[in-house]
Amino acid sequence: MAADFTAWVSTHQSLFEEVLKRLLPQAEVMPQRLHSAMRYSVLDGGKRVRPLLAYAAGELAGATAERVEIAAAAVELIHAYSLVHDDMPCMDDDVLRRGKPTCHVEYDEATALLVGDALQSLSFQLLSEHQLNDDATKQLQMVKLLAVASGSRGMAGGQAIDLASVGKQLSLPELEQMHIHKTGALIRAAILLGAYCGNKLSDAQLERLDHFGKLIGLAFQVVDDVLDCEADTATLGKTAGKDADNDKPTYVSLLGLAGAKEMAQRLHHEALETLGEFGEAALRLRELADFIVLRKF
Ligand code: GRG
């Protein structure tokens, strides 16, 4: 990774941490236990891939940092909620997330359920109470975009397909459909919401960005499946080898390790091609695509 990109990532990760600290309710405010658990689940952890994609797309679209950081936070809060609920005993039943005990282990199940609920509400509160585009109709589209991406036709729907597919053999198109919803929808939303905070891009350009998001979202999942097999728990900060243990269909179980890696390369290549017309202005998005595919955690 170029030194310049590494510096951009760490600057934005630090800035974003401060944004989240400011936007989340303080732990001393009633109900303290819920607020403390929300902060525990969101702060101090995670790669912040979705916010970084939002910042990069915002830069491309000429958005101000003040607007993009709110859109990025809205997406990250939905992501954090999904992780808290996914880790609960009724779903993946995991004890480790982002290198620390999962929310229901550190607090309790009822609190974890409420953390997810409250993070989701806070996300939409942010999108509606801050001005993110000069055009109010566009801003309403942003709210709808995130609602669709996280709901039953997006992330939650993908999770439902995932839960129903345990122990089953899925075809490649079926697996792809599951992940386009479960993982891909929110990654696409992060990119589009970042771009919607600016006004520089035409509808055709926004469509190209969305296509980039679809490809890189899928690549993210393929790499996630590979890492679940190849990386260790300490590096991942979550339990490794869960997919095979849970008899879940993955790109590795379907294509083998080499096949899955090849697929990630192909998606990566196509994603970069999609950004061609943006030239140098899309440098950060290109570098993030490289990071998503080459990451080791
Ligand atoms: C509970 C509605 C609901 C949805 C859960 C996101 C999800 C759907 C489940 C998480 C389980 C999982 C391993 C999904 C595959 C890839 C993925 C989204 C990994 C986690 O995202 P990262 O790697 O996590 O960006 P960090 O911690 O870096 O933010």
Side-chain angles (χ1 to χ4, degrees):
M1 268 195 298
D4 179 44
F5 174 64
T6 310
W8 181 85
V9 166
S10 63
T11 304
H12 283 78
Q13 283 172 335
S14 309
L15 282 173
F16 188 62
E17 191 70 13
E18 295 310 309
V19 170
L20 290 172
K21 280 185 190 162
R22 174 166 52 82
L23 295 174
L24 281 161
Q26 296 304 311
E28 300 74 36
V29 172
M30 219 186 67
Q32 289 96 336
R33 188 173 169 81
L34 176 59
H35 289 154
S36 159
M38 286 166 75
R39 295 180 77 85
Y40 175 84
S41 304
V42 175
L43 299 176
D44 190 26
K47 298 176 285 297
R48 310 298 191 204
V49 165
R50 295 154 194 80
L52 291 169
L53 286 167
Y55 277 114
E59 278 181 21
L60 184 63
T64 64
E66 290 72 25
R67 289 185 176 186
V68 178
E69 67 192 24
I70 299 295
V75 174
E76 186 67 9
L77 294 183
I78 295 282
H79 172 57
Y81 122 65
S82 80
L83 299 180
V84 170
H85 280 188
D86 182 66
D87 289 332
M88 289 181 67
C90 59
M91 294 214 191
D92 227 20
D93 193 10
D94 219 325
V95 294
L96 190 70
R97 171 70 66 183
R98 294 175 163 176
K100 40 187 199 181
T102 46
C103 182
H104 69 276
V105 170
E106 183 72 12
Y107 290 84
D108 55 79
E109 276 185 47
T111 302
L113 194 65
L114 289 173
V115 163
D117 295 342
L119 290 177
Q120 176 160 214
S121 300
L122 181 57
S123 165
F124 287 104
Q125 183 187 330
L126 294 177
L127 274 192
S128 47
E129 76 183 356
H130 296 263
Q131 184 167 14
L132 302 181
N133 193 287
D134 296 337
D135 179 349
T137 310
K138 260 217 171 124
Q139 180 151 352
L140 203 53
Q141 280 174 11
M142 293 169 76
V143 177
K144 180 176 170 188
L145 198 151
L146 188 60
V148 173
S150 52
S152 65
R153 307 292 303 274
M155 181 188 74
Q159 179 77 347
I161 302 172
D162 187 339
L163 292 172
S165 69
V166 172
K168 289 198 182 129
Q169 186 73 29
L170 294 187
S171 66
L172 199 56
E174 284 170 336
L175 191 67
E176 196 163 294
Q177 272 311 302
M178 174 169 97
H179 290 306
I180 280 176
H181 292 88
K182 184 178 133 180
T183 316
L186 205 57
I187 288 181
R188 278 166 97 168
I191 295 169
L192 280 185
L193 288 180
Y196 267 62
C197 288
N199 282 313
K200 249 188 179 172
L201 304 181
S202 66
D203 286 350
Q205 286 177 316
L206 286 169
E207 248 174 62
R208 285 198 87 64
L209 265 194
D210 188 37
H211 190 59
F212 165 76
K214 183 177 172 185
L215 294 166
I216 213 61
L218 214 46
F220 184 97
Q221 184 60 51
V222 180
V223 172
D224 215 69
D225 286 356
V226 169
L227 289 175
D228 190 65
C229 287
E230 286 198 324
D232 56 50
T233 298
T235 310
L236 292 179
K238 61 180 180 179
T239 316
K242 280 283 283 199
D243 294 336
D245 289 352
N246 290 346
D247 200 13
K248 276 192 176 178
T250 67
Y251 286 100
V252 176
S253 69
L254 224 66
L255 303 173
L257 257 178
K261 285 181 186 177
E262 233 170 73
M263 182 170 176
Q265 293 304 329
R266 186 174 49 74
L267 289 165
H268 181 207
H269 180 73
E270 276 179 46
L272 294 183
E273 267 188 355
T274 310
L275 294 178
E277 69 158 285
F278 294 109
E280 267 304 286
L283 176 67
R284 294 298 178 221
L285 281 176
R286 249 182 237 116
E287 289 173 322
L288 282 167
D290 298 344
F291 168 73
I292 283 170
V293 175
L294 301 174
R295 73 197 161 99
K296 298 282 174 246
F297 59 97

